Amino acid sequence: MPTPVASVGFGSGVPADWRKYPRLISGRTQIERVVRMDGVFMFGDSLGVAGGPVLAERLVARTHDTLAMDAWSGRPTAPAADVLTHWARTYGLPGRILMETGSNDIFNPPAFAAQIERVMQIVGRTRTVIWVNVWVARPRTAAADRANSASINRQLAAATRRHSNLQLVHWAEFVKADPKRERRYLRDGVHTTPLGRDARNELIIRALAAAKVS
């Protein structure tokens, strides 16, 4: 997530060039193994970079599912969907796709709905998409970030009514449920503390496990 700059557009500033930020990308062997074992593909941003390795460890321990990830800090959904397209064409897809994107779409919320539809079209009707909704409230642009996050989350909720195979992890609702959670679970209004990372991963694992048996 870039540092907020002068308020423009929708009030959350403008994003920096995500391509210079840290990333975690699984190798071909792991990707092919996940497809073969019907594990999980994960596409994420900085929250995926921070939480992905622990998520992979806990997922295999809890549900015996393998995880392949392409997580890149600062990246919005459109280029993540580009990678999803590439993986689908090159390797095929497992039965569950985890999307940890949307936090970097707050800079232009109206463009997000088209990317949801794009992801759902790539995945098709027979696989499940688990999408973590967003909470962004950086101190310098908190009001705009909250409003733009709410827009992203409304678009995700609306998409679940169009796509029965789209399921949400309600991260925003989890943070909002207790006033202490934002301070304890987030270090800057977006990125998780270790406690927040564990809580977020637990919500994700539960959703992935439920999707496996449904």
Side-chain angles (χ1 to χ4, degrees):
M1 175 67 64
T3 301
V5 296
S7 179
V8 298
F10 296 92
S12 288
V14 295
D17 183 1
W18 56 269
R19 288 165 291 191
K20 67 183 181 181
Y21 290 140
R23 61 192 184 270
L24 285 177
I25 303 174
S26 297
R28 184 185 188 99
T29 299
Q30 177 65 6
I31 296 169
E32 291 177 340
R33 180 169 179 257
V34 168
V35 174
R36 187 171 62 251
M37 299 181 68
D38 196 29
V40 178
F41 278 179
M42 183 268 272
F43 301 92
D45 50 29
S46 55
L47 291 164
V49 170
V54 173
L55 175 64
E57 292 176 2
R58 295 185 180 178
L59 189 65
V60 74
R62 290 267 292 277
T63 69
H64 307 292
D65 285 312
T66 52
L67 179 73
M69 70 184 78
D70 187 296
W72 201 314
S73 298
R75 184 176 63 183
T77 300
D82 292 342
V83 180
L84 170 60
T85 300
H86 173 68
W87 283 23
R89 292 173 177 171
T90 305
Y91 309 107
L93 296 174
R96 288 161 295 165
I97 308 298
L98 172 62
M99 298 298 295
E100 291 199 62
T101 70
S103 295
N104 294 289
D105 293 88
I106 65 166
F107 303 103
N108 186 16
F112 183 64
Q115 299 306 318
I116 301 173
E117 294 305 309
R118 184 174 167 219
V119 167
M120 299 311 298
Q121 183 177 21
I122 297 164
V123 170
R125 296 175 180 270
T126 61
R127 298 177 179 88
T128 301
V129 176
I130 308 295
W131 208 310
V132 186
N133 72 8
V134 306
W135 177 280
V136 182
R138 299 164 296 168
R140 288 174 57 190
T141 52
D145 287 357
R146 290 178 192 274
N148 294 329
S149 296
S151 176
I152 296 296
N153 292 340
R154 285 194 299 271
Q155 292 174 65
L156 281 170
T160 65
R161 297 190 284 272
R162 298 188 298 272
H163 302 283
S164 60
N165 60 325
L166 172 60
Q167 301 175 13
L168 302 186
V169 173
H170 294 280
W171 174 240
E173 290 81 356
F174 177 84
V175 174
K176 188 177 180 180
D178 185 337
K180 297 178 181 178
R181 286 179 178 169
E182 187 170 9
R183 185 180 70 254
R184 296 178 63 205
Y185 292 174
L186 303 176
R187 55 184 171 82
D188 57 3
V190 190
H191 301 98
T192 54
T193 63
L195 185 65
R197 179 202 62 200
D198 291 345
R200 181 181 169 95
N201 278 344
E202 179 63 23
L203 294 174
I204 292 170
I205 290 171
R206 290 180 185 177
L208 290 171
K212 184 176 184 178
V213 300
S214 61

